Amino acid sequence: MTQKFDAIIIGTGQAGPSLAARLSEARKTVAVIERHKFGGTCVNAGCIPTKTLVASAYAVHVAGRGAEYGFAIDGNVRVDMKRVKARKDEIVGRSNSGVENWLRGLSNCTVIQGHARFESSRSVRVNDEVLEADKIFINVGGRALVPSMPGLPDVPFFTNSSMIDVDFVPEHLIVVGGSYVGLEFAQMYRRFGSEVTIIEMGPRLIGREDEDASAAVREILEAEGIGIQLNAECLSLSRRADKVVATVSCKEGTPEVSGSHILLAVGRIPNTQDLGLEQAGVVTDQRGYITVDDELRTNVPGIWALGDCNGRGAFTHTAYNDYEIVAGNLLNADHRRVSDRIQTYALFIDPPLGRCGMTDAEIRKSGRRALVAKYPMERISRAVEKGEIQGFIKITVDAETKEILGAAILGTGGDEVIHVLLDVMYAKAPYTIVQRAMHIHPTVAEYLPTILSKLEPFA
Ligand SMILES: Cc1cc2nc3c(=O)[nH]c(=O)nc-3n(C[C@H](O)[C@H](O)[C@H](O)COP(=O)(O)OP(=O)(O)OC[C@H]3O[C@@H](n4cnc5c(N)ncnc54)[C@H](O)[C@@H]3O)c2cc1C
């Protein structure tokens, strides 16, 4: 049976549901197809569960510092992972059913559960049905990369999706991969009580960040007792009695890391290989990311790709911004483009790292004359009052235009404070505007004008 719609949306990640709502509002008929859980990665296996678990781990950490703040807990702080998981399940469950109920309640919107596969550039098969539309929006996201590694099939391992359902404290968690996902889990489980070792093949953690940010994050994690092995490529995994052993190629440190459990956090891949893209003629790059233009149109007229599957972003906010770009261009007569956006994200360890704009390496490569100011969190009174003095704030500006080029705020509230600078960047205003603003005392943000008064040549 063939059903016709004005639009088909494949996947209910961070772009699809909002686009369905906007199309429904415009009185278009829409079919939304989801093969697994409504809300996709962010809701079910990414941002929401991890940040909920990070919050539990933070509470445990602060409780353990009771003596510093002037209170005592009789006996040790005991983590009940079943309760931790139940709290996470409750918050995730509300979000997941919220997305599903929202979609099912939209007028002109048909929700279908099943795996979608293109049959042509205008048709998609799901279960026994063929759906047709002149406009098809792909929002299929991605999943954890599981590399082919000797021994992997014989060893039980976790990815981000299975790790969030753990309801016990592993004795010794080996985290393979020292980037954003790996570091959040590493710190969280250390705080829950696991011994944790991170194995990272690069010379530093979060290798895309500035060197000073990588070094400071390493110091923060090591201070909590997390073992870190850098320049260590994980070559194979094996089982030895009740242990899992990672064999690594390394110049320093031990060539074998033994633990009770393994988390693989070595990157993500797009869900595009089983979508029948070749039937539709949609082109991908070598890694499987769908090739799109500045308005997220694929090479086939009438087909768009939004979110992680287009390789133009790897965050919930970039996927949502993709929706805004497509809806703006198609339905709001608002010409929006991917190239209008400014890179921004956070690493949600504690303290968090908020980032916007260019990295030091990108600024150097651009050849622009720049100025930079860096300030330690330990000199910011709000951080001192909270007892959270790790990290620093760094802001780089263009020496000629005075526009902010980039910033890193590693410290308490860094994930929020970064938006002060980001919004000034969007306004294309000079940094001096921040210096004229009156900020609230006592906050971290109130120091931004002071920091900007210390700009020096960027080397
Ligand atoms: C552990 C972890 C933590 C993260 N934390 C953050 C964070 O703090 N902040 C942040 O901004 N980002 C974070 N991210 C990234 C964020 O989750 C993703 O960038 C975001 O979810 C991408 O959304 P999306 O719309 O591209 O697709 P997804 O959310 O991946 O959704 C795609 C949907 O499509 C469905 N689907 C796939 N193929 C088909 C098919 N053929 N037919 C039907 N349905 C299909 C899938 O089942 C899925 O539901 C995190 C990611 C992970 C893994």
Side-chain angles (χ1 to χ4, degrees), residues 54-322:
V54 161
S56 288
Y58 176 75
V60 172
H61 179 69
V62 173
R65 294 177 63 197
E68 281 177 59
Y69 291 97
F71 66 92
I73 292 178
D74 294 333
N76 288 331
V77 178
R78 196 175 53 80
V79 175
D80 180 348
M81 275 308 283
K82 290 199 167 40
R83 297 265 303 270
V84 168
K85 178 177 176 296
R87 175 175 183 272
K88 182 272 297 176
D89 286 344
E90 215 249 308
I91 291 171
V92 167
R94 246 186 284 146
S95 234
N96 162 267
S97 55
V99 174
E100 179 169 4
N101 295 339
W102 178 35
L103 285 171
R104 292 196 190 279
L106 293 175
S107 48
N108 309 317
C109 179
T110 304
V111 177
I112 303 169
Q113 286 211 262
H115 177 87
R117 184 184 285 274
F118 280 93
E119 295 228 312
S120 73
S121 63
R122 289 288 171 271
S123 62
V124 165
R125 175 175 289 277
V126 49
N127 306 327
D128 294 331
E129 288 176 89
V130 176
L131 318 179
E132 280 182 7
D134 286 339
K135 292 186 172 54
I136 302 181
F137 303 95
I138 307 172
N139 179 216
V140 292
R143 62 182 186 283
L145 168 70
V146 177
S148 54
M149 190 187 290
L152 194 62
D154 312 322
V155 170
F157 63 87
F158 294 112
T159 64
N160 66 282
S161 305
S162 47
M163 194 76 215
I164 54 157
D165 283 328
V166 166
D167 65 355
F168 59 92
V169 178
E171 189 190 315
H172 183 168
L173 181 66
I174 301 172
V175 178
V176 183
S179 202
Y180 310 89
V181 171
L183 297 193
E184 289 181 15
F185 278 110
Q187 189 187 45
M188 164 200 316
Y189 271 91
R190 179 67 191 138
R191 290 178 169 194
F192 288 146
S194 298
E195 199 178 321
V196 175
T197 306
I198 300 169
I199 301 175
E200 164 56 45
M201 65 191 278
R204 56 194 175 91
L205 299 177
I206 41 171
R208 267 175 255 142
E209 300 301 330
D210 297 341
E211 285 180 27
D212 51 2
S214 289
V217 164
R218 178 182 180 179
E219 219 173 278
I220 287 165
L221 298 179
E222 283 182 334
E224 293 190 25
I226 295 174
I228 298 172
Q229 241 186 289
L230 300 175
N231 294 307
E233 188 181 353
C234 188
L235 296 178
S236 67
L237 298 171
S238 58
R239 266 188 115 132
R240 212 169 289 163
D242 58 346
K243 300 274 183 231
V244 276
V245 179
T247 307
V248 297
S249 131
C250 58
K251 290 200 184 77
E252 56 199 68
T254 149
E256 278 193 349
V257 182
S258 152
S260 60
H261 295 82
I262 293 245
L263 167 66
L264 289 181
V266 291
R268 298 187 57 79
I269 49 168
N271 291 323
T272 51
Q273 82 296 344
D274 53 1
L275 198 52
L277 288 176
E278 55 297 337
Q279 312 291 338
V282 172
V283 168
T284 65
D285 68 13
Q286 279 182 338
R287 294 185 305 152
Y289 289 99
I290 299 171
T291 308
V292 289
D293 66 11
D294 214 15
E295 293 177 23
L296 303 167
R297 295 173 292 210
T298 69
N299 63 307
V300 176
I303 304 183
W304 288 255
L306 302 85
D308 285 10
C309 68
N310 64 27
R312 304 291 291 267
F315 299 100
T316 283
H317 46 275
T318 47
Y320 187 79
N321 187 248
D322 284 0

Side-chain angles (χ1 to χ4, degrees), residues 429-456:
Y431 70 84
T432 46
I433 210 92
V434 180
Q435 292 180 303
R436 295 182 70 88
M438 183 178 73
H439 287 169
I440 296 167
H441 173 74
T443 59
V444 172
E446 75 175 329
Y447 276 79
L448 295 175
T450 307
I451 297 165
L452 284 164
S453 70
K454 298 180 185 305
L455 289 164
E456 301 177 337

Side-chain angles (χ1 to χ4, degrees), residues 25-80:
E25 201 182 289
R27 297 177 190 281
K28 307 286 181 200
T29 56
V30 194
V32 178
I33 310 162
E34 173 54 58
R35 71 176 177 190
H36 191 39
K37 292 183 179 170
F38 288 91
T41 309
C42 176
V43 167
N44 300 290
C47 336
I48 293 183
T50 53
K51 268 80 260 182
T52 306
L53 294 170
V54 161
S56 288
Y58 176 75
V60 172
H61 179 69
V62 173
R65 294 177 63 197
E68 281 177 59
Y69 291 97
F71 66 92
I73 292 178
D74 294 333
N76 288 331
V77 178
R78 196 175 53 80
V79 175
D80 180 348

Side-chain angles (χ1 to χ4, degrees), residues 7 9 18-28 30 108 137 331:
I9 297 173
S18 299
L19 187 59
R22 185 65 191 85
L23 287 163
S24 146
E25 201 182 289
R27 297 177 190 281
K28 307 286 181 200
V30 194
N108 309 317
F137 303 95
L331 299 161

